[in-house]
Amino acid sequence: MSSHPSPTARAKAGALAASAAALLSLGLSAPAPAAAADTAPDRGEAAHATAAVLDLDGTGRAPVIHGADTAYDTASIVKVDILAALLLKAQDAGRQLTTQERGRAEPMIMRSDNAAANALWREIGRSSGLAAANRRLGLTSTTGGPGAKWGLTRTTASDQIRLLRAVFDGGRTADAGSTALNAGSRAYIRALMSRVVPEQTWGVSALCGPGSQRALKNGWLQRNTSGRWDVNSVGQVTVKGHRYLVAVLSNGSASMTDGIALVERTARTAMV
């Protein structure tokens, strides 16, 4: 398999870079967790990636892991977890999300809006609120970022499959006795992940053929100290009639284009 970025990956990365440059020229924030990158430590120069895959229509209930299932920084994929925590909070109160909450949740997932994520991160109680939600969702290896830095949340590929199961697999979690997302909450997250803006539909969606269903959330941030990139992609894809949950986490890429290519190449290899 070629190690060069695909034309699709280059085009999508170029569109994101152009969008970021335009926003920065106006003094606005780019749609990536730049605030998290300001103090992010450099965790090595070589690019690494880990994939986890679960066939929802198969007989197994444990994901297949490709690579070392170590922790990576989430960047913006944590926004799915933030939304799940918000929905659990609303469920506990016996209510639906407010208009304001929806007005933040929807751009946070569909456009990866950081200002919306900042507000909802505070609303769920930052890392402690995320931890409380994750205990109910069955996540065991995810640690919220320090202070306001939600993009520096640490997670593993297998934990991301646990989160995806809580959304796409009938609300099932690793802990059968846990209190998880109800049907309405799951449907809401799935709907938003299915409506991500076109320029952010790279990553696990590369596994899908024309017309195939996909729901995903991607994350990307550039290291302030090294200039290298963390690029991640999680979601549900349909391949040859089977529904798969896929999580690919990576770090150390020399550019965002390289990171996208690494994520997509790793995802394809994991499906062989």
Side-chain angles (χ1 to χ4, degrees):
M1 186 175 295
S2 171
S3 62
H4 295 290
S6 67
T8 300
R10 287 196 300 268
K12 288 174 178 174
L16 285 165
S19 173
L23 288 167
L24 291 171
S25 71
L26 296 172
L28 302 175
S29 297
D38 288 343
T39 59
D42 181 7
R43 300 187 189 278
E45 293 298 317
H48 298 91
T50 301
V53 178
L54 176 64
D55 183 353
L56 285 180
D57 297 318
T59 57
R61 291 291 88 190
V64 177
I65 308 296
H66 297 260
D69 196 25
T70 55
Y72 293 78
D73 293 324
T74 59
S76 284
I77 62 169
V78 74
K79 291 170 181 174
V80 177
D81 208 359
I82 293 172
L83 178 54
L86 178 70
L87 288 162
L88 285 174
K89 184 176 178 180
Q91 286 177 199
D92 291 346
R95 63 173 179 84
Q96 302 295 315
L97 295 187
T98 66
T99 300
Q100 183 181 63
E101 287 168 338
R102 286 179 177 270
R104 289 169 172 163
E106 291 166 15
M108 179 178 72
I109 300 298
M110 295 189 294
R111 299 200 308 271
S112 208
D113 185 276
N114 288 335
N118 291 341
L120 294 182
W121 179 246
R122 291 191 296 269
E123 184 170 345
I124 68 167
R126 296 184 171 181
S127 61
S128 61
L130 192 77
N134 284 344
R135 284 192 290 273
R136 297 166 64 177
L137 295 166
L139 278 67
T140 60
S141 302
T142 298
T143 304
K149 301 185 190 311
W150 43 262
L152 295 184
T153 296
R154 301 279 285 169
T155 194
T156 62
S158 58
D159 239 19
Q160 287 303 297
I161 294 294
R162 293 182 181 99
L163 177 59
L164 292 171
R165 283 193 69 186
V167 175
F168 292 96
D169 192 21
R172 299 176 191 175
T173 67
D175 177 1
S178 66
T179 304
L181 298 162
N182 64 30
S185 294
R186 297 195 306 272
Y188 184 61
I189 299 175
R190 292 195 300 265
L192 297 189
M193 292 178 68
S194 298
R195 293 164 55 197
V196 168
V197 293
E199 60 268 28
Q200 294 180 23
T201 55
W202 42 266
V204 298
S205 63
L207 298 168
C208 299
S212 295
Q213 295 181 342
R214 91 292 181 269
L216 77 162
K217 182 70 191 80
N218 295 328
W220 61 97
L221 69 83
Q222 186 177 25
R223 290 293 175 195
N224 195 45
T225 53
S226 68
R228 290 184 172 264
W229 288 79
D230 296 339
V231 180
N232 306 318
S233 184
V234 300
Q236 179 187 265
V237 297
T238 301
V239 181
K240 296 180 179 179
H242 272 231
R243 296 170 303 135
Y244 291 90
L245 302 180
V246 185
V248 184
L249 309 180
S250 79
N251 60 25
S253 290
S255 67
M256 184 172 174
T257 301
D258 287 350
I260 291 173
L262 173 60
V263 164
E264 293 184 350
R265 184 169 64 251
T266 303
R268 292 189 182 100
T269 300
M271 295 296 291
V272 173

